[in-house]
Amino acid sequence: MNIVVCVKQVPEPTGTNQINPESLRIQRDGIDAVLDPADEFGVEAALQLAEAHPGSTVTVVSMGPANAIEALRRGALARGADVGILITDDALAGSDTLATAKVLAAAIKTVQPDLILCATESTDAYTGMVPGGIAQILNMPLLSFAKKLTVSNGKAIIQRQTAGGYQTVEAVLPVVVTVTGSINTPRYPALKGIMQAKKKPVAQFTASKLGLSADQVGEKGAKEKVVSWTPAETRQAGTIIKDDGTAVEQIVTYLASIKVI
Amino acid sequence: MNIWVFAEISGGKLDRTALELVTKARALGEVTAIVLGSSAEAQAGLLGEYGVKKILAQSDKVFEEYLAEPAAEVLGTLVEQHKPDLLLIAATYDGRDVAARLNVRLNSGIITDAAEIQFEGGKLKAVVPAFGATILVDVTLETNTTKLVLVRPKAFAAEKVAGGTPAQVEKISVAIPERAKRARIVENVVQASDGPSLEEASIVVSGGRGLKEAANFELLKQLATQLNAAAGATRAVVDAGWVPYSFQVGQTGKTVKPNVYFAFGISGAIQHTVGMKGAKYIIAINKDADAPIFKFADLGIVGDALKIIPALTEELKKRKH
Ligand SMILES: Cc1cc2nc3c(=O)[nH]c(=O)nc-3n(C[C@H](O)[C@H](O)[C@H](O)COP(=O)(O)OP(=O)(O)OC[C@H]3O[C@@H](n4cnc5c(N)ncnc54)[C@H](O)[C@@H]3O)c2cc1C
Ligand SMILES: Nc1ncnc2c1ncn2[C@@H]1O[C@H](COP(=O)(O)O)[C@@H](O)[C@H]1O
């Protein structure tokens, strides 16, 4: 099976994200970047499927700045993915979800995948629009919010999370699948994997090499524009007390004061 | 302004987000709701109570049998034909899948996660909370085609109009190609929970990893029953398999806006708090005096949740008698 995983480099999620006051984009310069933790689940799902279907290839695809190659190697190739594709190009900076889907779809097409895995949403932007966009461009079905995924007899079958439970959904390959954090427990990269990752091939593309003109991508092509931003109103802390055996009494008094009981 | 709302049907009923969206749409212009599903036409009454004058309804069970594509097909065709000024879609599971396809099909771009929408001098302006709602970003779409906006559930409160009458139903039958029938829903499993739903409960009692193990979550459910509350959870708890995903509150879970939100053994990561910060009163119980949740709890108790939960349940039981 030819499996593609879309992975993104994001600012260290435990840090505080900031907006660059000039570009009005997420501040990426001088901030530690990692493979999106949400994408570790897609990588793991791909590796497990490749193990179950010998002869498979796992290709990880990313669009990002040149240094995203580090996230590709450390976060995905070191865990066992076979090859990488990085689309990097100054013209791509500031791409919106539409442009990102176009770029990724064009790169993925070169691989002729049976299965494309993405996270349900990225940790920094969390739009969730990219995977469905890729599916639309490549004319594939989208199996979204998978908390379980199996592939057999040329079909992908998922358990899809819903607000009130789950659905079982199936489609004939090729398909795009988005995975949630409950699908598996990602493995840690082994030392051997980290060493091997350094030598694994990573193909690099620019937007124009993929046949996308500069006015379709990046800041220039973006239809969604940030106008301005303001800090959100923050809630103030109320009364904090240490439980000296009166916690229940305190809660009950408080509930009575706000007329809940 | 010609405002369209994709009024989603889920489980045979109009999704609550549909009423939130039409309420907002009313303030922006003339509202048309697009309703797709076996019970589409039957929604005219309820939508009318919320001020909708006209619905475009396609009654077909194909929308319940396949994911996203049939609905995206119909909406795409209709938008291309009628070119409304704005199409609002709720950021539900299905809404997101439909919107992602429309973004590409209409080559329109999209604003996601909008919490406020307005037209200023004919120009669309939406407010999107970013980075766990720590900042509010004003965004626009620089296009002259139909604007696509995915709206955050609970951003707008649903309000009826006085003397609303059933919406006029225009039946439509947009052709759905075979290609759109690929992601087939084989089974629909509803994990029933007792009591009020998370979205509707006026009290939510949530637990995090501080509850230590799955069995302790049962104590929390007993407290929820006493308070006629819904039980919620952090993703840490859901990922650990203690409770189903339908309990998850936060960025990738549900957004709740109850009167009172209890956080037991929850640290207060922004991905969680973004889903509950809209609560009127927040009561947090955590062993760690430095837990981030205490920075904005109205009542914070530094203590052991595993002792406080059962004791509080007992006290409330006593008071009832
Ligand atoms: C892309 C992405 C999306 C995410 N989406 C969500 C989401 O939708 N919802 C969500 O919740 N999280 C989400 N998360 C995860 C989030 O970042 C946190 O990891 C998670 O919310 C932490 O859950 P927790 O508070 O239960 O656990 P922890 O952070 O481990 O906190 C446990 C707390 O319990 C306290 N404690 C321990 N024992 C006791 C005791 N006996 N009594 C009282 N207190 C005790 C500890 O002091 C601690 O503060 C997301 C993360 C990412 C990267
Ligand atoms: N720049 C990118 N490079 C590679 N994959 C991406 C990129 N942006 C989004 N994706 C994929 O799409 C998923 C959802 O992202 P988003 O739509 O931005 O929330 C991510 O988890 C990735 O799998």
Side-chain angles (χ1 to χ4, degrees), chain A residues 74-102:
Chain A
R74 266 186 278 141
L77 297 175
R79 287 188 158 90
D82 302 298
V83 286
I85 296 179
L86 175 65
I87 313 109
T88 182
D89 181 346
D90 288 344
L92 292 170
S95 291
D96 62 7
T97 57
L98 181 57
T100 305
K102 285 178 185 171

Side-chain angles (χ1 to χ4, degrees), chain B residues 170-188:
Chain B
E170 185 179 319
K171 290 189 208 177
I172 52 169
S173 55
V174 175
I176 294 160
E178 279 310 301
R179 160 182 62 69
K181 301 176 193 167
R182 295 181 293 194
R184 197 167 71 87
I185 301 167
V186 194
E187 180 192 25
N188 231 324

Side-chain angles (χ1 to χ4, degrees), chain B residues 9-239:
Chain B
I9 293 181
S10 65
K13 288 200 306 230
L14 205 58
D15 197 76
R16 50 172 301 117
T17 56
L19 304 175
E20 297 170 9
L21 262 53
V22 298
T23 303
K24 179 65 201 176
R26 245 157 56 196
L28 298 172
E30 188 77 13
V31 188
T32 302
I34 319 301
V35 197
L36 311 174
S38 320
S39 67
E41 288 160 46
Q43 309 306 331
L46 186 53
L47 285 165
E49 289 176 34
Y50 287 81
V52 178
K53 297 266 171 355
K54 184 177 166 186
I55 69 170
L56 302 182
Q58 182 149 341
S59 297
D60 193 332
K61 62 181 189 332
V62 70
F63 303 109
E64 285 113 62
E65 289 173 339
Y66 302 92
L67 291 184
E69 279 192 86
E73 203 60 50
V74 173
L75 284 164
T77 304
L78 291 175
V79 167
E80 281 159 3
Q81 279 171 3
H82 299 272
K83 305 185 174 57
D85 295 302
L86 175 65
L87 170 60
L88 300 179
I89 300 178
T92 60
Y93 297 88
D94 292 341
R96 277 196 357 177
D97 286 359
V98 170
R101 286 192 178 271
L102 288 176
N103 181 22
V104 167
R105 167 158 176 187
L106 302 169
N107 199 36
S108 56
I110 187 167
I111 292 173
T112 53
D113 215 23
E116 184 50 87
I117 306 156
Q118 145 197 356
F119 282 99
E120 269 182 21
K123 201 173 153 162
L124 174 76
K125 200 178 106 184
V127 179
V128 175
F131 307 154
T134 52
I135 65 166
L136 301 175
V137 186
D138 292 331
V139 291
T140 189
L141 281 171
E142 301 215 321
T143 55
N144 43 27
T145 50
T146 299
K147 311 268 193 283
L148 220 57
V149 178
L150 201 56
V151 183
R152 174 181 271 257
K154 291 264 161 132
F156 305 108
E159 280 164 30
K160 289 187 185 178
V161 289
T165 51
Q168 170 210 336
V169 180
E170 185 179 319
K171 290 189 208 177
I172 52 169
S173 55
V174 175
I176 294 160
E178 279 310 301
R179 160 182 62 69
K181 301 176 193 167
R182 295 181 293 194
R184 197 167 71 87
I185 301 167
V186 194
E187 180 192 25
N188 231 324
V189 179
V190 177
Q191 290 163 324
S193 56
D194 327 320
S197 75
L198 260 179
E199 288 97 331
E200 276 157 59
S202 74
I203 304 178
V204 172
V205 178
S206 281
R209 193 145 44 192
L211 297 192
K212 300 280 186 293
E213 53 181 326
N216 292 333
F217 212 89
E218 291 307 315
L219 300 175
L220 195 73
K221 287 184 181 162
Q222 286 162 17
L223 174 60
T225 309
Q226 270 313 307
L227 285 164
N228 190 29
T234 64
R235 173 155 132 187
V237 162
V238 171
D239 284 352

Side-chain angles (χ1 to χ4, degrees), chain A residues 6-70:
Chain A
C6 295
V7 300
K8 186 180 180 187
Q9 177 182 275
V10 299
E12 174 60 63
T14 51
T16 318
N17 273 318
Q18 273 161 8
I19 283 212
N20 180 315
E22 271 143 53
S23 68
L24 296 177
R25 288 186 223 133
I26 296 179
Q27 178 71 271
R28 297 186 193 274
D29 296 340
I31 305 252
D32 286 341
V34 294
L35 181 90
D36 190 336
D39 288 333
E40 290 177 12
F41 302 98
V43 171
E44 180 63 35
L47 295 174
Q48 289 184 9
L49 282 171
E51 283 154 13
H53 298 83
S56 297
T57 306
V58 176
T59 306
V60 285
V61 179
S62 191
M63 177 185 104
N67 71 5
I69 195 165
E70 289 307 314

